[in-house]
Every structure is written in structure tokens, then in C-alpha cells.
Amino acid sequence: MGTQSAQPSEKHICAGLLAHVDAGKTTLSESMLYLAGAVRRMGRVDHGDTFLDTDDMERERGITIFSKQARLRWKNTELTLLDTPGHVDFSAEMERALWALDCAVLVISGTEGVQGHTRTLWKLLEQQDIPCILFVNKMDREGSDGNRVLAELKKDFGPGFVAFEKEGPADTEDLACCTEEMMEDYLETGQISESGIIAAIEKRKAFPVFFGSALRDQGVEELLKAIETYGPRPS
């Protein structure tokens, strides 16, 4: 009898979406659900018809008040999305959701950059040792500046933030500097192994940064691919 080749085991990831209010976090969740085929049409916060903000007060105020979850599948990954409140008044609700996360997606406005509540969120993620991928949103708007936001992240939170594009890191040298293992990899082969990137993200030594517009589905597919490829496997 022939031996069947082992099928890759399905990955299950619980990812939380966190942001300063009005950075576009709920719009990003809508875009992710739409691109993954979990909803047939994208709702809009300003239209009051988003999939996750179902409470009357949320739709009236246009903000997330209660943490919600939705499930989607991307390639070989079952992804549970937790959309958490961004408004500082509902921080306790957001903090309660952190214990369940395998990783976080921190959403930052490309026009506003790093804001006050962004710093609070970063400290909480640091305290809980939660791996983090960043999405700089609203890059379609006038006044957005991805390079400025990337510089702010490094200035405020330290090294490790690396711009990623469709095919991976935009600057492999920048990524290699995040850990000794990746630097050795890079010096020996000129490349960095996928396993090395995953390990660096899990250890919070590297933080991939993606740029796009959730409202226009720009950069969201790349973000989903990164969560599927580099997202930590739950222990």
C-alpha cells in the first residue's frame, strides 16, 4: 500500500483588532470578512449597516462599544476576529478581550499617525506579550504619510517595525536587524526564512507594518496573507 502524504494541519488563530477611535478598525474588519467571503457585501460605519456593530447605540454613534467576534477562513487558516472598542470610554471592554488573543492587529490612521490611545494600547500589548501586526489605514486620503507613521512608531515604541509589501518585507536588511538569528540567515543566504520571521514576530522582536485603505480594500488581502503565513500557532 502506498503512503498518503500528510496534509498540512489547519491553523486556528484568534486575532484582535485594536485602534484609537476613528482609525478605521471596524471598516477593516468589514473588508477582511468581505474578501474572505464571509459576508456578501461590505457594510459601512457611516451607513450604520456594519456586520459587527449591531447594537443600536453603536450604529447611532458610529463607534464600537462591545467586543464582537466573527469567523472567517483564509487559505488553510480558520481566523476568529475580535473587533474591540477603540473609544477610551470603553477601554475595560477592550482589555477583557486581550486574554483570548493569539495576536493583535493594531490599526493606525495614515493621516493622524500615532495617537494617545495608540500608546495605551501598545503598552497593554507589551504587558500581555501579544505578537502584533500593524495596518496603517486611510492611505487613500489627502495628508496620509506612511513613512511619517513608520518613523513615529520607531520613535515612540522602539525598533522592530518593518514595512511589508505584497511579497513580504520591503527592506530585508531592516528585518534582519531585528534578531541575531535572522541576521545570520541573511548574511549566509541573502534571505530570511519564513520560520525565522514567525519566531521574531512571536517573540515581539519584529512587527510587520502594512499600508492601505480598508474602505477601498487596498492592502487588506496582504494583511490577511500575513496573518495566515506569519501568525503564531496557538500553543
Side-chain angles (χ1 to χ4, degrees), residues 164-178:
F164 272 56
E165 296 173 336
K166 192 167 188 176
E167 301 306 320
D171 189 334
T172 310
E173 268 186 53
D174 266 10
L175 184 61
C177 290
C178 295

Side-chain angles (χ1 to χ4, degrees), residues 35-46:
L35 287 174
V39 295
R40 291 186 179 180
R41 59 181 291 276
M42 263 186 71
R44 286 182 54 150
V45 174
D46 54 347

Side-chain angles (χ1 to χ4, degrees), residues 63-98:
I63 60 171
T64 301
I65 296 174
F66 307 105
S67 296
K68 327 281 194 326
Q69 71 173 42
R71 287 190 175 181
L72 60 91
R73 178 184 293 276
W74 188 261
K75 305 291 171 62
N76 197 46
T77 296
E78 189 77 30
L79 181 61
T80 300
L81 275 186
L82 279 183
D83 185 15
T84 66
H87 199 287
V88 68
D89 289 352
F90 307 105
S91 292
E93 179 74 14
M94 176 275 298
E95 288 185 47
R96 277 193 289 271
L98 293 182

Side-chain angles (χ1 to χ4, degrees), residues 119-173:
R119 295 182 179 90
T120 302
L121 292 168
W122 187 258
K123 285 179 184 174
L124 287 168
L125 292 171
E126 200 169 39
Q127 288 166 6
Q128 300 282 351
D129 204 28
I130 298 172
C132 187
I133 295 172
L134 294 93
F135 186 78
V136 181
N137 193 24
K138 302 186 179 184
M139 290 301 294
D140 56 322
R141 295 198 179 180
E142 189 176 344
S144 61
D145 187 340
N147 289 328
R148 174 176 57 82
V149 175
L150 192 60
E152 280 181 10
L153 288 167
K154 292 179 178 181
K155 177 177 174 287
D156 288 4
F157 306 133
F161 296 93
V162 181
F164 272 56
E165 296 173 336
K166 192 167 188 176
E167 301 306 320
D171 189 334
T172 310
E173 268 186 53

Side-chain angles (χ1 to χ4, degrees), residues 11-15 74-77 79 102-105 130-134 162-172 175 182 185 191-210 221-234:
K11 187 191 287 190
H12 297 264
I13 296 175
C14 182
W74 188 261
K75 305 291 171 62
N76 197 46
T77 296
L79 181 61
D102 299 311
C103 67
V105 175
I130 298 172
C132 187
I133 295 172
L134 294 93
V162 181
F164 272 56
E165 296 173 336
K166 192 167 188 176
E167 301 306 320
D171 189 334
T172 310
L175 184 61
M182 288 196 295
D185 224 2
Q191 297 177 322
I192 299 173
S193 68
E194 193 174 285
S195 61
I197 298 173
I198 292 169
I201 294 170
E202 281 190 347
K203 293 173 185 172
R204 284 183 53 87
K205 297 292 186 184
F207 308 100
V209 184
F210 291 85
E221 189 171 334
E222 287 77 13
L223 175 65
L224 280 164
K225 183 181 175 184
I227 296 171
E228 192 264 337
T229 305
Y230 304 123
R233 292 182 181 275

Side-chain angles (χ1 to χ4, degrees), residues 27 43-50 59-60 62-63 141 215:
T27 305
R44 286 182 54 150
V45 174
D46 54 347
H47 292 174
D49 61 355
T50 55
R59 292 192 163 181
E60 183 183 332
I63 60 171
R141 295 198 179 180
L215 192 61

